[in-house]
């Protein structure tokens, strides 16, 4: 059996060694399949040297092998959205998709079947013969939301790195990239009406080296941002690969970079906000937005530009953060206390709820759906809002039982900044040990959910917070190979966690490591970090024992 990841729903290949030999095949692309045809010519063509010409009109294929692309909508009724079938005979290969996304995933499976060398950017062995086993695959995803959150605020990832990660998500049949664009340590998206957000807010003078308990500093200034054209390119690039991009603008906490750029956004009656800089440390910051109408208008302007950059058809959700908002400044602020009385809300927690509910309604009026971290449940939500359940399962359970859609991303299970093993060589070790097997046994739907509530679980995402990931190499190390296990969890229909065939998955990873090598991914090897992947002497924050199931 080929080493396919994620594992397909059904796959059967000939036991007699039957093969289809592909020697510069034709590409017969049916109506509506143009996007996948472009991808095959660009990606497979680069790796194999094939030109993949279309058959001559009105002529038969003759002796030449052919790859056919067909949309077959009835597959959606039988298997579901984003599903596909792949058939290989000795003469031809047929890819059928329930929709364009399903057809694209069939092409990803075809690339896996061709072997790791099909993942390269140029032929590694010119003149080699490409062979496929005769057989077939029928496949489709378990969940509609199969995502990864990438924090580009703590450590900026240049545009080309984001595009690369979109390709890596697509290669694993993941379809959501949640971009954490703003935080205390940096503002990463150009807003033309508020230029200081990037002129000032995108740059910090230095960075803590390691966890916030570390005494070490990286004194090199750090920063960067995406222009609006960069964002348009990222969104279009993702859409062509059937990846939705969910932008996150964090409010009302995690906002010091914005306040450093525009001091009037902060609580000026209790803090000299004009003296604030973009934060150079990690953790929860006490400098939060002031609860004023002027601040609401400012962020409405931010979101207006954001909605233009992230069209509804490819980015229906907008993430507003809403987590970790300290209330000390509001308690000390006469202006905030007067606001509480004016609004008639329940103290400072009610003030935060008012802030979130305002943007809930504002986004809904513009045809978008608000999503936020599970703290936004406090105070109630509008019916269309969704929740990212990060502090455990509890927030997601409460939201789903109340009829809200949920994305499960509990930190105890799928925070990929958490360390992968307990050894002393793990670089800047954070949190619980979450091994490849631990991630493989993650279950997005808690058993205590009722069937009706379980239908509100849109899916899950793995979160990648980058405080201790200073560059692409470090991100690769933390993300892979665990993202492959996560991809199988959210795509495949697996048994209960304790009954999953981890040994079989681990065996299939043997071939997948070679694919990651070909793709240039600097993953954590199964035997532990390579010498240059270690960070000796840099403090992390390891937590011992098994994570609580909360």
């Amino acid at each position: 059996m080929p080493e396919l990841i994620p594992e397909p729903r059904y796959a059967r290949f000939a036991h007699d060694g039957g093969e289809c030999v592909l020697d510069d095949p034709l590409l017969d692309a049916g109506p509506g399949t143009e996007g996948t045809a472009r991808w095959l010519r660009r990606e497979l063509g680069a790796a194999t040297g094939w030109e993949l010409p279309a058959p001559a009109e009105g002529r038969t294929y003759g002796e030449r092998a052919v790859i056919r692309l067909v949309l077959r909508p009835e597959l959606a009724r039988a298997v579901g959205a984003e599903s596909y079938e792949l058939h290989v005979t000795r003469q031809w290969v047929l890819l059928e998709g329930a929709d364009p996304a399903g057809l694209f995933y069939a092409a990803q499976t075809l690339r896996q079947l061709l072997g790791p060398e099909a993942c390269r950017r140029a032929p590694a062995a010119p003149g080699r013969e490409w062979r496929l086993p005769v057989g077939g695959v029928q496949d489709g995803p378990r969940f509609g939301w199969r995502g990864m959150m990438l924090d580009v605020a703590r450590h900026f990832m240049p545009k080309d790195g984001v595009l690369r990660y979109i390709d890596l998500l697509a290669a694993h049949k993941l379809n959501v990239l949640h971009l954490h664009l703003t935080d205390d340590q940096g503002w990463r998206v150009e807003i033309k009406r508020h230029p200081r957000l990037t002129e000032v807010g995108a740059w910090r003078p230095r960075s803590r080296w390691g966890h916030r308990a570390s005494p070490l500093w990286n004194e090199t200034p750090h920063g960067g941002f995406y222009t609006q054209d960069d964002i348009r390119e990222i969104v279009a690039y993702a859409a062509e690969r059937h990846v939705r991009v969910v932008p996150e603008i964090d409010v009302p906490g995690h906002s010091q970079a914005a306040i450093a750029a525009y001091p009037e956004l902060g609580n000026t009656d209790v803090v000299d906000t004009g003296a604030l800089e973009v934060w150079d440390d990690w953790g929860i910051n006490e400098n939060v937005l002031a609860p004023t109408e002027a601040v609401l208008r400012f962020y409405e302007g931010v979101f207006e530009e954001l909605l233009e950059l992230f069209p509804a058809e490819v980015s229906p959700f907008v993430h507003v953060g809403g987590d970790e908002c300290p209330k000390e400044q509001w308690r000390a602020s006469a202006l905030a206390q007067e606001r509480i009385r004016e609004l008639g809300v329940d103290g400072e927690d009610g003030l935060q709820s008012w802030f979130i509910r305002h943007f809930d309604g504002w986004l809904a009026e513009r045809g978008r759906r608000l999503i936020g971290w599970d703290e936004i449940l406090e105070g109630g939500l509008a019916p269309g809002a969704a929740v990212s359940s990060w502090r455990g399962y509890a927030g997601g359970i409460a939201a789903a039982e109340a009829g809200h859609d949920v994305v499960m991303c509990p930190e105890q299970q799928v925070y990929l900044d958490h360390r992968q093993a307990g050894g002393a060589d793990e670089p800047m070790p954070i949190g619980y040990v979450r091994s490849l097997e631990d991630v493989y046994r993650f279950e997005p739907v808690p058993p205590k959910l009722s069937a009706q509530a379980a239908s509100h679980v849109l899916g899950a995402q793995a979160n990648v917070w980058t405080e201790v990931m200073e560059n692409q190499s470090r991100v690769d190390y933390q993300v892979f190979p665990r993202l492959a296990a996560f991809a199988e969890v959210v795509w495949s229909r697996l048994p209960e966690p304790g009954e999953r065939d981890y040994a079989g998955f681990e065996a299939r990873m043997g071939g997948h490591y070679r694919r990651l090598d070909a793709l240039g991914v600097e993953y954590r090897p199964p035997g532990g970090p390579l010498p240059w992947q270690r960070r000796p002497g840099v403090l992390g924050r390891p937590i011992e024992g098994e994570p609580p199931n909360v």
Side-chain angles (χ1 to χ4, degrees):
M1 179 67 69
E3 298 170 317
L4 296 176
I5 288 179
E7 186 175 34
R9 188 178 304 190
Y10 168 88
R12 180 172 293 175
F13 294 92
H15 296 294
D16 61 0
E19 291 180 319
C20 176
V21 178
L22 296 172
D23 181 13
D24 196 16
L26 300 171
L27 180 61
D28 186 357
T33 69
E34 296 82 6
T36 296
R38 282 195 302 272
W39 184 87
L40 284 169
R41 289 191 172 104
R42 183 174 57 246
E43 302 296 329
L44 275 192
T48 61
W50 298 340
E51 293 183 4
L52 293 172
E57 189 173 352
R59 296 181 61 184
T60 60
Y61 303 138
E63 296 297 317
R64 198 165 177 180
V66 64
I67 300 171
R68 292 188 59 211
L69 308 180
V70 177
L71 288 183
R72 206 176 109 208
E74 60 268 26
L75 266 177
R77 294 190 293 272
V79 189
E82 302 180 272
S83 62
Y84 69 89
E85 289 188 0
L86 183 151
H87 304 278
V88 181
T89 74
R90 293 179 184 270
Q91 306 299 324
W92 46 259
V93 181
L94 173 63
L95 310 183
E96 299 178 301
D99 45 38
L103 186 68
F104 178 73
Y105 297 133
Q108 292 285 359
T109 298
L110 171 64
R111 182 167 72 163
Q112 288 199 15
L113 288 171
L114 284 167
E117 300 307 315
C119 295
R120 296 192 179 275
R121 296 184 181 182
R128 71 165 285 178
E129 209 171 49
W130 296 89
R131 297 172 177 271
L132 288 172
V134 169
V137 176
Q138 184 186 71
D139 201 8
R142 179 186 178 192
F143 292 109
W145 187 301
R146 308 179 302 279
M148 186 184 90
M149 190 285 303
L150 180 61
D151 170 16
V152 296
R154 272 51 176 269
H155 277 102
F156 179 63
M157 179 176 284
K159 179 194 70 178
D160 285 353
V162 175
L163 300 180
R164 173 179 177 268
Y165 257 86
I166 289 168
D167 279 324
L168 290 172
L169 295 181
H172 291 81
K173 299 185 174 72
L174 299 173
N175 68 347
V176 175
L177 174 63
H178 169 179
L179 276 181
H180 184 76
L181 290 166
T182 71
D183 216 294
D184 300 302
Q185 298 86 359
W187 184 286
R188 305 296 179 213
V189 56
E190 177 188 26
I191 302 298
K192 291 186 181 295
R193 72 189 71 184
H194 302 306
R196 286 177 59 84
L197 286 172
T198 46
E199 291 171 357
V200 174
W203 311 95
R204 62 176 182 262
R206 64 177 187 169
S207 306
R208 177 79 70 178
W209 183 233
H211 181 256
R212 60 182 176 272
S214 169
L216 304 176
W217 293 89
N218 180 343
E219 297 291 347
T220 303
H222 180 83
F225 65 93
Y226 309 111
T227 67
Q228 294 201 351
D229 282 345
D230 290 338
I231 292 292
R232 292 187 183 96
E233 180 183 356
I234 288 168
V235 171
Y237 191 91
E240 191 173 53
R241 289 150 180 80
H242 302 280
V243 174
R244 301 197 306 272
V245 184
V246 176
E248 180 182 354
I249 303 293
D250 215 331
V251 295
H254 288 287
S255 297
Q256 182 161 320
I259 296 168
Y262 291 94
E264 64 271 22
L265 296 175
N267 295 282
T268 57
D269 59 340
V270 294
V271 177
D272 180 9
T273 55
L276 295 177
E277 295 182 330
V278 177
W279 206 28
D280 58 10
D281 212 346
W282 318 128
I284 300 175
N285 188 294
E286 64 182 8
N287 291 298
V288 302
L289 298 174
T292 67
E293 290 297 322
V295 169
L296 294 184
R297 300 294 88 75
F298 182 98
Y299 273 86
E300 286 172 359
V302 169
F303 283 117
E304 281 176 6
E305 293 194 26
L306 204 73
L307 297 191
E308 292 177 5
L309 299 173
F310 295 87
E313 59 269 21
V314 293
S315 300
F317 286 91
V318 175
H319 208 291
V320 299
D323 62 318
E324 297 178 332
C325 179
K327 309 298 193 300
E328 287 78 6
Q329 290 184 2
W330 289 350
R331 293 188 186 99
S333 167
L335 186 151
Q337 293 303 308
E338 178 61 26
R339 194 68 165 151
I340 289 171
R341 288 189 289 272
E342 287 176 3
L343 296 170
V345 298
D346 184 16
E348 292 77 22
D349 288 342
L351 202 56
Q352 180 176 355
S353 176
W354 162 80
F355 210 110
I356 297 299
R357 288 180 68 88
H358 172 82
F359 286 105
D360 191 348
W362 189 91
L363 288 166
E365 289 171 2
R366 289 154 181 81
R368 303 301 181 96
R369 294 186 64 187
L370 178 144
I371 185 168
W373 305 112
D374 53 55
E375 287 96 328
I376 69 171
L377 283 167
E378 299 158 8
L381 285 177
V387 170
S388 301
S389 188
W390 77 273
R391 291 180 292 180
Y393 289 106
I397 291 170
E401 294 289 3
H404 293 287
D405 287 342
V406 175
V407 176
M408 287 294 188
C409 48
E411 64 170 329
Q412 301 87 353
Q413 311 297 329
V414 288
Y415 268 33
L416 299 187
D417 49 314
H418 283 210
R419 58 195 172 130
Q420 302 184 64
D425 286 335
E426 291 301 313
M428 303 186 200
I430 300 294
Y432 297 100
V433 171
R434 292 290 85 193
S435 67
L436 184 65
E437 181 173 0
D438 291 328
V439 174
Y440 190 68
R441 298 193 188 281
F442 165 61
E443 173 49 48
V445 180
K448 64 177 68 175
L449 273 184
S450 66
Q452 182 176 0
S455 70
H456 286 288
V457 178
L458 300 176
Q461 69 183 32
N463 290 346
V464 183
W465 299 103
T466 61
E467 288 94 332
V468 297
M469 297 180 221
E470 73 277 9
N471 55 34
Q472 178 177 284
S473 176
R474 281 286 293 123
V475 174
D476 277 6
Y477 179 90
Q478 292 297 136
V479 169
F480 289 101
R482 292 183 294 181
L483 194 70
F486 175 82
E488 185 147 310
V489 166
V490 292
W491 177 277
S492 306
R493 283 161 172 76
L494 299 177
E496 292 301 310
E499 299 171 5
R500 293 177 187 173
D501 181 13
Y502 177 70
F505 170 78
E506 195 173 31
R508 283 182 285 120
M509 279 299 298
H512 200 64
Y513 285 121
R514 293 192 291 277
R515 292 186 197 112
L516 296 177
D517 287 331
L519 291 166
V521 177
E522 297 183 65
Y523 57 86
R524 180 190 187 274
L530 299 169
W532 57 87
Q533 293 174 319
R534 300 167 188 161
R535 296 292 186 274
V538 185
L539 287 179
R541 185 181 62 93
I543 304 174
E544 302 303 329
E546 284 294 310
N549 189 8
V550 294

